[in-house]
Amino acid sequence: MTPQFEADIHGHIAALMIYPVKSLAGIAVEHARLLDTGLEWDRHWMVVDGEGLFVSQREYPRMALVQPRLLAQALELQCPGLSPLEIALDAQGPQTRVQVWDDILDALDMGDAAALWLQQALGCEGVRLVRFAPEGRRACSPRWTGGAQGHTQFADGYPVLVTTDASMAPLNSRLAAAGLPPVGMRRFRPNVVLGGMEANDEDHMAVLQVMAEEGGATPAQLTLVKPCARCPIPNIDPDTAESHPGVGDALQSYRRDARLNGAITFGMNAIVQAGAGQVLRVGQTVAASYQFDGAAAP
């Protein structure tokens, strides 16, 4: 049953993004199937070191330059100077154990050819590509879900990251005041970008409902459960892999969040409460209920 709520605000889906391989470049899509683990194929693959620990742009900024594509039956990775790599969407491989933060998970190793390609693309030794085990289940922290069940794959901890497109304006105005160029939403790696709302409205949302398309389907509902704490990755230019502290410095001036003891946040992590199996589309109408609990000021 879809949880009921009273809508305080309405808008629409302005953009949808998926990141098939954790910390590689993302893909803007017009539609995506919603699963209980997030958008289909999002963070379904991951790069790990020789010990099975995930690696990211924090260690290897060049990951931003590796562009995935989803073909009919395969994941394709592209990197300047290399021939594309193709991995079947249902590729099998030896089972291995990998680590994402504190979680130890089952995964399938995608083989030596994929590992060699990534090592050449990133300029590092020992990394390998793994796929989330098809039978695996990874629960989100009940500390933040309020006891509600949430599941994800290789994302940092939650299946969907929600932002509002208007949130870029206050950031870019601060960058301009510091003599720096504007940046785009790609730096923040969201899944669902909302339009028709005020800057950082997501900070105060409790439930986001995506209105069903014609046919009487139950509306999809996302419960926004935890602010997204920000590491240095937004400082990395997704087009060049070069890092500059300007974005982080600007965020520190206005995005300290009391809910995370003053950590810098941007966007809200969400779990899927209803509507798994439905297709989300750019332009779809959304409604949200508010909850005010000490979020960072816009």
Side-chain angles (χ1 to χ4, degrees):
M1 179 182 296
T2 304
Q4 299 299 310
F5 74 104
E6 294 184 6
D8 297 308
I9 186 173
H10 294 82
H12 63 275
I13 296 178
L16 292 168
M17 297 289 299
I18 59 173
Y19 309 86
V21 183
K22 183 179 180 67
S23 218
L24 299 191
I27 306 172
V29 296
E30 289 297 310
H31 55 83
R33 192 157 68 106
L34 182 67
L35 309 177
D36 70 340
T37 55
L39 300 184
E40 187 173 27
W41 303 119
D42 188 62
R43 278 88 170 191
H44 185 68
W45 293 268
M46 183 171 68
V47 183
V48 298
D49 66 14
E51 302 300 318
L53 179 66
F54 84 98
V55 300
S56 74
Q57 292 180 33
R58 300 170 186 84
E59 300 85 26
Y60 302 112
R62 279 186 56 84
M63 293 179 78
L65 304 181
V66 181
Q67 180 65 58
R69 290 178 60 211
L70 286 171
L71 308 178
Q73 301 294 330
L75 168 72
E76 181 184 82
L77 300 183
Q78 300 176 344
C79 183
L82 294 177
S83 298
L85 171 73
E86 283 193 18
I87 300 289
L89 295 180
D90 60 354
Q92 300 299 304
Q95 186 161 303
T96 185
R97 298 284 275 172
V98 299
Q99 183 172 354
V100 182
W101 299 114
D102 293 332
D103 292 336
I104 306 296
L105 308 168
D106 289 328
L108 303 181
D109 186 281
M110 294 292 94
D112 291 340
L116 178 60
W117 190 95
L118 278 172
Q119 291 164 21
Q120 293 173 333
L122 302 181
C124 61
E125 298 181 357
V127 296
R128 301 188 70 83
L129 182 68
V130 298
R131 176 185 171 214
F132 196 84
E135 71 282 0
R137 294 288 282 171
R138 180 182 173 214
C140 302
S141 170
R143 173 188 173 191
W144 288 97
T145 65
Q149 286 194 343
H151 294 88
T152 189
Q153 295 195 351
F154 288 139
D156 276 354
Y158 300 88
V160 182
L161 179 61
V162 178
T163 62
T164 46
D165 58 5
S167 302
M168 298 309 299
L171 170 60
N172 282 324
S173 68
R174 286 167 171 81
L175 290 174
L180 297 172
V183 298
M185 184 63 81
R186 284 192 299 157
R187 298 215 181 200
F188 295 95
R189 304 176 66 80
N191 296 115
V192 178
V193 182
L194 304 176
M197 298 181 177
E198 299 296 323
N200 303 112
D201 259 349
E202 70 273 24
D203 285 345
H204 312 294
M205 290 180 190
V207 176
L208 178 71
Q209 179 170 285
V210 182
M211 301 307 184
E213 298 180 315
E214 294 182 6
T218 301
Q221 283 196 5
L222 305 177
T223 300
L224 282 67
V225 295
K226 185 182 181 184
C228 183
R230 288 299 170 173
C231 66
I233 287 180
N235 286 330
I236 298 171
D237 186 331
D239 293 320
T240 66
E242 296 177 354
S243 182
H244 185 284
V247 172
D249 291 346
L251 291 172
Q252 289 208 31
S253 71
Y254 76 112
R255 290 297 305 167
R256 294 189 179 277
D257 199 314
R259 293 170 294 182
L260 291 183
N261 299 316
I264 306 305
T265 68
F266 191 101
M268 286 290 293
N269 291 298
I271 60 173
V272 180
Q273 287 291 132
Q278 292 189 31
V279 175
L280 304 189
R281 300 183 185 277
V282 172
Q284 229 170 343
T285 300
V286 301
S289 61
Y290 277 149
Q291 175 177 284
F292 293 93
D293 54 2

